[in-house]
Amino acid sequence: MTDHPPSPYAGPPRVFSGVQPSGALHLGNYLGALVKFVALQDQMECLFCVVDLHAITAWQDPAALAAQTREIAAAYVAAGVDPKKAIIFPQSAVREHADLAWILNCVARLGWLDRMTQFKEKSGKHKERASVGLYTYPVLQAADILLYKATHVPVGEDQKQHLELTRDIAAKFNHDFGAPGFFPLTEPLIEGPGARVMSLRDGLAKMSKSDPSDQSRINLTDDADAIAGKIRRAKTDPAPLPETVEGLKDRPEADNLVGLFAALSGQTKARVLETRGGQGFGAFKPALADLMVETLAPVTQNMRRLMADPAEIDRILADGSERARAIAAPILAETRKIVGYWPGS
Ligand code: TYM
C-alpha cells in the first residue's frame, strides 16, 4: 500500500481494538490481542470494542449474538482489562460507527478492497454468495478506529493489511476534503512472539476459530486435561529443539511451539532456546502444557465467574458505551461538517 508522509496529526494518543463475537476465543486471540490490551491500559486511553457489526457479515444466530457479545466482554475483563480504566463496549451501542463507515465507503476505492486477502480467504470459492458487508468489512474497521482518532491499534499479524487500508483511507479523506491532520495515520502494534499463533496441526496455517479441527486450537474455555492432550498431540518433527532461532527455519511446528512458550513466559524465542535448546519434544511439550495451563486457568476461571453474572457485564458494557459515545459524537459531528451534510441533520 501507499507510503504516506509523516502525519501532521497533533491529537492525544489513544488505543482502539476489537474482537468479533463470532465464536469461542482461542490462544491466538489471547496472545495476539488481549495480552497487549492489558499492557496498554496503563499507558494510554484505551477503547476495547466487541465488534458485533462485523460479526454479522457472516450469519450469526440472533438468539445467541448478545450472549456471545457478553462473553467477549467477559474475556477482556478476565484477561485483566480493568473496565474502570479502559472503555469496554459493543460496537452496535454506538451508532456513529455505521454513520462514519458510510462516509468512508465513499472514500475507499474498489481497487483497494479488491486486494484484501481476508475477504478472499473468507469468501472462498463462491465470492458472489458472500455478503456485501463482508466485502466492505475493512472499511467499517477503519471507521471503528478513526471514529476515536485512535493512534495505536494492537492486533495480531492477520490484521496488518486492514490497518494499512485504514491509513490509506485516513490520508485520502484528509487530502480530498482539504483537512490535513484531521484523521491520524494510525500505527499498528503487532510485534511480539504471540502476533501469529499457528494451528497445532499445521505450522503453516493460522490458529483460527473456523478450523474444523478442534485439535488445531486451544480455546480459552479448554480445561487443563484438554490443553495437555492437545499439546501432547500437536504436530512436531523428530529433531530436538535447536540452540538458536536460526535453527527454527523450515521447522514451522517447532517454531510455533517455541513462540508459544516465549509469548506465555514473556521472553524472546532466543532466550527460550538458550535454556531449552537440545531438549526433545517429549520433555518440552509437558513443560509448555504446564505453562499454558498455569497462565490460562485464572483467565478461564474469571471468565466463568463473570459469565454467571450477566447483569454485571451489562453494567460494564452500558457504562463503556456511554464513555465511547462521548468521544465519538463530536468527532463524527466534525466529520459530517467537513463532508458538507445539511447542518440541520
Ligand atoms: P478477530 O475477532 O478475528 O480476532 C481478534 C484479534 O485476535 C487476533 N488473532 C490472532 N493473533 C495471533 N495469532 C492468531 N492465530 C490470531 N487469530 C486472531 C486478531 O489479529 C485480532 O487482533 N477485524 C478484526 C476485528 C476488528 C478490529 C477493529 C480490530 C474490527 N474492528 C478495529 C482492530 C481495530 C478481527 O476480525 O478480529
Side-chain angles (χ1 to χ4, degrees):
M1 294 250 151
T2 329
D3 275 337
H4 301 289
S7 165
Y9 181 73
R14 187 174 282 147
V15 170
F16 183 97
S17 197
V19 175
Q20 294 191 69
S22 54
L25 285 182
H26 55 69
L27 187 61
N29 303 127
Y30 177 72
L31 293 174
L34 269 55
V35 169
K36 292 183 197 148
F37 296 0
V38 178
L40 284 163
Q41 65 181 342
D42 294 315
Q43 298 171 31
M44 294 179 217
E45 181 175 34
C46 288
L47 294 115
F48 299 126
C49 187
V50 185
V51 291
D52 47 358
L53 271 65
H54 278 103
I56 65 163
T57 57
W59 175 252
Q60 302 296 325
D61 178 359
L65 185 58
Q68 288 168 203
T69 299
R70 290 189 187 102
E71 196 171 317
I72 302 296
Y76 287 172
V77 178
V81 176
D82 178 352
K84 290 199 193 67
K85 289 185 202 156
I87 299 174
I88 300 176
F89 72 105
Q91 193 182 23
S92 58
V94 182
R95 310 280 169 101
E96 283 83 352
H97 286 253
D99 202 329
L100 182 60
W102 180 255
I103 294 174
L104 300 185
N105 268 325
C106 301
V107 173
R109 303 291 94 180
L110 218 50
W112 299 356
L113 288 188
D114 278 341
R115 285 198 287 272
M116 294 294 116
T117 54
Q118 271 212 350
F119 175 77
K120 289 179 199 162
E121 280 160 26
K122 286 192 181 171
S123 59
K125 286 197 192 79
H126 298 287
K127 104 172 163 38
E128 65 284 359
R129 287 188 211 154
S131 74
V132 176
L134 187 68
Y135 187 70
T136 61
Y137 177 116
V139 181
L140 177 60
Q141 182 162 348
D144 297 341
I145 295 165
L146 298 176
L147 184 58
Y148 303 92
K149 298 194 174 181
T151 52
H152 296 83
V153 177
V155 278
E157 202 173 278
D158 59 345
Q159 296 301 312
K160 195 165 175 235
Q161 197 185 31
H162 290 167
L163 293 184
E164 283 165 3
L165 180 84
T166 302
R167 290 165 68 89
D168 288 346
I169 292 175
K172 184 164 166 57
F173 180 96
N174 292 351
H175 174 268
D176 289 0
F177 290 99
F182 179 70
F183 284 130
L185 300 185
T186 308
E187 294 290 337
L189 300 174
I190 296 180
E191 291 79 51
R196 191 165 170 76
V197 174
M198 308 309 278
S199 155
L200 298 176
R201 308 301 304 159
D202 174 1
L204 297 174
K206 189 179 74 166
M207 185 177 285
S208 149
K209 302 178 206 187
S210 53
D211 193 315
S213 165
D214 192 56
Q215 294 297 317
S216 71
R217 67 185 155 259
I218 305 286
N219 303 304
L220 285 196
T221 45
D222 284 347
D223 61 19
D225 285 348
I227 292 176
K230 286 178 181 178
I231 296 296
R232 199 169 48 242
R233 285 186 291 274
K235 187 177 166 198
T236 44
D237 56 40
L241 288 179
E243 311 279 340
T244 62
V245 175
E246 292 73 54
L248 291 170
K249 197 168 167 287
D250 300 325
R251 297 182 62 187
E253 285 83 16
D255 190 12
N256 188 37
L257 295 189
V258 171
L260 287 179
F261 198 100
L264 288 164
S265 59
Q267 309 175 66
T268 60
K269 288 195 252 185
R271 183 88 191 86
V272 173
L273 292 176
E274 268 170 35
T275 50
R276 306 229 164 228
Q279 204 168 54
F281 284 104
F284 182 67
K285 279 180 166 182
L288 174 61
D290 285 350
L291 175 62
M292 209 173 272
V293 169
E294 205 179 289
T295 316
L296 295 183
V299 180
T300 313
Q301 275 162 18
N302 276 339
M303 218 170 134
R304 281 210 196 97
R305 191 179 47 77
L306 284 157
M307 286 303 288
D309 188 0
E312 173 58 15
I313 301 176
D314 284 349
R315 273 193 290 279
I316 292 172
L317 289 174
D319 172 65
S321 303
E322 209 176 297
R323 287 155 68 199
R325 247 179 261 129
I327 302 172
I331 294 174
L332 180 71
E334 213 185 328
T335 313
R336 291 168 62 104
K337 208 163 128 195
I338 290 172
V339 169
Y341 282 164
W342 178 61
S345 62

